């Protein structure tokens, strides 16, 4: 049985590498063009500086990132999610990670906690497990008001990750408890 899973893991790694190679070739031969200039600028920026993203500083690339996203509005975000399949998954992780930076939070007005949760839900089927631990942080940081559809999507994604043994029982229980609190707050009369 162990050999079976080792072979399956190797096949998954090969598939992932082939997918990465295909994306690299496609992006070199057919660069992605967005109809929204703000999203295009963000994509160009993230693609250009993705290798050094761990070292972005407030007096450098992090400030440039903030300048790009602080002018986003609802239509830009809708366009971003409408075309999310064009983004490299690593770039989505960089965006999600940077949204959790306090400097970003203090510089923007848009609810990027909502954006973080939506990236988590739409991110590749099972690879989003490493984003799960920051859902609560993102929601509380931006004082996000999640709608019922996103709460249902979060719940479904948490269940999927747990069923596929991508997260622990403790992570599963904790996140479901948090999502239930969000749902209860949504149902309170105003």
């Amino acid at each position: 049985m162990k050999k079976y899973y080792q072979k399956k893991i190797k096949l998954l790694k090969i598939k992932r590498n082939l997918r990465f190679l295909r994306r690299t070739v496609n992006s070199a031969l057919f660069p992605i063009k967005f109809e929204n200039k703000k999203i295009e600028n963000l994509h160009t920026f993230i693609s250009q500086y993705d290798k050094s993203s761990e070292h972005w500083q407030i007096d450098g690339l992090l400030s440039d990132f903030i300048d790009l996203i602080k002018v986003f509005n609802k239509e830009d975000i809708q366009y971003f999610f409408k075309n999310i399949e064009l983004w490299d998954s690593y770039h989505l992780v960089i965006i999600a990670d940077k949204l959790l930076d306090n400097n970003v939070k203090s510089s923007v007005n848009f609810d990027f906690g909502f954006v973080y949760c939506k990236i988590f839900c739409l991110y590749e089927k099972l690879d989003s497990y490493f984003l799960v631990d920051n859902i609560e942080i993102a929601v509380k940081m931006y004082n996000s008001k999640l709608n019922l559809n996103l709460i249902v999507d979060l719940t479904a994604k948490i269940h999927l990750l747990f069923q596929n043994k991508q997260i622990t029982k403790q992570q599963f229980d904790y996140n479901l408890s948090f999502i239930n609190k969000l749902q209860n707050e949504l149902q309170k009369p105003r």
Side-chain angles (χ1 to χ4, degrees), residues 2-188:
K2 186 176 179 181
K3 286 183 181 182
Y4 169 78
Y5 285 111
Q6 287 175 337
K7 286 180 183 180
K8 190 159 182 103
I9 289 171
K10 284 181 184 179
L11 284 173
L12 288 173
K13 285 181 181 179
I14 290 170
K15 279 178 143 178
R16 184 180 289 168
N17 289 338
L18 287 174
R19 196 176 328 133
F20 175 75
L21 182 61
R22 185 174 356 113
R23 283 184 185 164
T24 304
V25 170
N26 282 340
S27 66
L29 296 176
F30 311 104
I32 297 171
K33 294 290 181 202
F34 294 95
E35 293 174 11
N36 181 306
K37 190 67 176 164
K38 294 176 194 174
I39 300 299
E40 177 74 32
N41 291 341
L42 179 63
H43 186 268
T44 302
F45 178 81
I46 297 291
S47 298
Q48 188 174 6
Y49 298 110
D50 61 351
K51 303 281 188 275
S52 63
S53 65
E54 307 89 43
H55 307 292
W56 291 6
Q57 300 295 323
I58 189 61
D59 56 345
L61 293 175
L62 186 60
S63 291
D64 295 342
F65 174 76
I66 292 169
D67 290 341
L68 287 170
I69 67 165
K70 74 180 177 184
V71 294
F72 277 27
N73 58 37
K74 188 176 182 177
E75 290 78 27
D76 299 320
I77 298 299
Q78 287 173 339
Y79 182 84
F80 173 81
F81 285 115
K82 185 176 138 192
N83 296 285
I84 198 166
E85 73 279 349
L86 298 175
W87 285 80
D88 182 277
S89 56
Y90 179 62
H91 293 161
L92 292 174
V93 171
I94 291 172
I95 292 169
D97 178 56
K98 297 307 173 192
L99 293 178
L100 296 175
D101 189 292
N102 286 324
N103 295 304
V104 173
K105 164 58 180 122
S106 64
S107 303
V108 298
N109 295 322
F110 196 82
D111 181 0
F112 283 104
F114 178 87
V115 172
Y116 183 96
C117 291
K118 195 123 167 121
I119 287 173
F120 170 76
C121 289
L122 296 175
Y123 190 74
E124 292 183 19
K125 194 172 184 180
L126 296 174
D127 284 346
S128 59
Y129 64 90
F130 50 85
L131 297 174
V132 74
D133 291 328
N134 294 321
I135 292 172
E136 182 178 8
I137 293 169
V139 169
K140 287 184 175 180
M141 176 183 254
Y142 289 95
N143 196 23
S144 299
K145 303 296 180 221
L146 305 183
N147 60 34
L148 188 58
N149 289 338
L150 187 53
I151 289 173
V152 168
D153 290 346
L154 282 170
T155 304
K157 188 68 176 246
I158 297 292
H159 277 279
L160 177 70
L161 292 174
F162 182 67
Q163 287 172 350
N164 288 289
K165 297 179 178 27
Q166 295 291 309
I167 60 174
T168 65
K169 176 78 168 133
Q170 182 180 3
Q171 288 173 305
F172 175 76
D173 291 340
Y174 184 83
N175 282 287
L176 275 188
S177 172
F178 175 68
I179 292 168
N180 286 336
K181 286 179 197 171
L182 293 175
Q183 187 173 359
N184 291 340
E185 287 175 17
L186 190 65
Q187 294 173 346
K188 284 182 184 175

